[in-house]
Amino acid sequence: MTDATERVEETIIYEGLTLRFDAALATLTLNDPDRLNALSAAMALGVIEALTELSKPRRGVRALLIRGEGRGFCAGANLAAEARAVTRGQGKAPAINAVETAFHPMLRRLHALPVPVIAAVNGPCLGIGLGLALAADHIIASEAAYFQAPFRNLASASDSGLTWLLPRLVGLQAARRLLLGAERISSREALHLGLIAEVAPEEGFEEAALARAAAFAAGPTIALMEIKRLLADGLSGELDSAFEAEARAVARTGRTKDNLAAMRLFGTKQAPEFTGQ
Ligand SMILES: C/C=C/C(=O)SCCNC(=O)CCNC(=O)[C@H](O)C(C)(C)COP(=O)(O)OP(=O)(O)OC[C@H]1O[C@@H](n2cnc3c(N)ncnc32)[C@H](O)[C@@H]1OP(=O)(O)O
């Protein structure tokens, strides 16, 4: 694992995306600000490539931050090509194909990423953009952000695993408001519903999000990965299985250097420095 304080900077550019490495933190930026970072199939496939790259052990990545360039996080699927195809009578439109071939494969990979993922939602977060944000373990949103699942407005069923995720996150009634009603909700309401973890002022938002992500990157990585996996398994498992899985995970983390470091300082009021090992 890379020491969170060691500087290893590098940026890789994909279509409509950049992937930046800064010590133990990787930052994936959706980079089509003129379209509020609406996601094309090529961008989603680029995200998959970026996830493969940042998962290489030599990268030593201990957290991933996802953010949007400009005033938006992601305005959903890029429907420009969609609209053109429909106008020209070209049948099944690109974004519909992309659900199966690019968007869902991207989200599966993101949900399966072992290290903590932080989404910094600075502005509009819609459709597949909402799916992308909700694949994160911690969503920090600006006061200026808003969330919407506008599928029904396009006479489309919903995607991005939202029919599975939303009832678990916010309950069935609020999920109905979001999916059947396509209600747009502010970051304050999203926080109140339990859809996101925190709201930060518009001014200084980028810095607040970076600080939060850097704190995750400097955390007890093995314990965070174990907790993340236990939570994911717990969503579809039984309580008995959770007890067993937790006991095995606690035994594993009990053998880590970070656990030893924390135990040594227990009761001293000193914060341990975690190395991710
Ligand atoms: C399989 C499908 C899955 C899905 O994700 S379904 C959901 C698809 N997304 C949507 O339906 C949202 C469409 N966008 C909007 O409703 C609005 O935008 C917003 C409410 C997000 C923001 O409104 P405002 O702040 O007034 O900005 P603006 O002028 O509408 O947008 C700025 C530029 O961004 C382009 N843009 C916005 N969303 C998309 C999109 N989804 N696909 C392609 N382009 C988009 C616009 O056209 C425009 O561009 P220009 O300045 O050239 O007119």
Side-chain angles (χ1 to χ4, degrees):
M1 290 282 173
T2 307
D3 187 311
T5 55
E6 200 180 304
R7 316 303 303 168
V8 183
E9 290 178 18
E10 185 186 342
T11 301
I12 302 177
I13 295 171
Y14 301 90
E15 184 174 326
L17 299 173
T18 61
L19 174 64
R20 180 183 157 84
F21 294 97
D22 192 348
L25 179 66
T27 302
L28 186 65
T29 299
L30 306 179
N31 196 11
D32 189 1
D34 290 346
R35 292 199 186 101
L36 302 174
N37 305 314
L39 202 76
S40 64
M43 283 164 79
L45 295 175
V47 172
I48 295 177
E49 272 187 63
L51 294 176
T52 301
E53 185 59 41
L54 69 88
S55 299
K56 290 180 178 166
R58 73 176 172 84
R59 293 285 182 190
V61 167
R62 293 167 58 190
L64 168 66
L65 170 65
I66 304 179
R67 58 182 290 279
E69 192 61 41
R71 71 179 174 93
F73 177 73
C74 173
N78 184 335
L79 297 179
E82 180 103 351
R84 277 197 302 275
V86 170
T87 311
R88 290 186 198 137
Q90 287 169 339
K92 204 176 167 190
I96 293 173
N97 290 326
V99 170
E100 203 179 341
T101 59
F103 296 158
H104 283 180
M106 170 192 76
L107 291 175
R108 281 180 208 267
R109 282 290 302 276
L110 199 52
H111 278 277
L113 199 72
V115 295
V117 179
I118 300 90
V121 179
N122 51 323
C125 178
L126 286 83
I128 182 75
L130 179 60
L132 193 59
L134 293 181
D137 303 289
H138 186 101
I139 303 177
I140 175 170
S142 144
E143 296 271 9
Y146 56 85
F147 300 81
Q148 192 179 14
F151 304 95
R152 51 91 71 212
N153 296 345
L154 301 163
S156 170
S158 54
D159 55 49
S160 306
L162 293 178
T163 51
W164 189 90
L165 272 171
L166 285 175
R168 286 168 171 79
L169 281 167
V170 299
L172 187 55
Q173 210 51 260
R176 287 188 178 121
R177 275 175 58 203
L178 289 164
L179 290 174
L180 294 173
E183 277 185 43
R184 178 192 289 192
I185 59 167
S186 67
S187 43
R188 282 275 156 217
E189 189 175 2
L191 181 67
H192 177 70
L193 283 175
L195 191 69
I196 65 173
E198 60 176 317
V199 178
E202 212 178 330
E203 203 183 316
F205 176 71
E206 290 292 330
E207 291 76 13
L210 187 59
R212 178 65 68 209
F216 272 104
T221 308
I222 297 172
L224 293 177
M225 294 194 309
E226 291 280 7
I227 294 168
K228 177 172 170 160
R229 199 179 40 77
L230 286 166
L231 280 169
D233 291 350
L235 282 175
S236 44
E238 301 291 331
L239 179 58
D240 246 5
S241 321
F243 282 132
E244 285 167 22
E246 285 176 356
R248 287 193 299 270
V250 168
R252 280 193 296 273
T253 51
R255 293 191 288 269
T256 63
K257 289 185 181 165
D258 281 345
N259 182 265
L260 274 181
M263 288 305 161
R264 261 189 219 114
L265 291 180
F266 181 74
T268 65
K269 299 204 165 118
Q270 275 178 272
E273 248 182 53
F274 294 122
T275 62
Q277 290 172 331

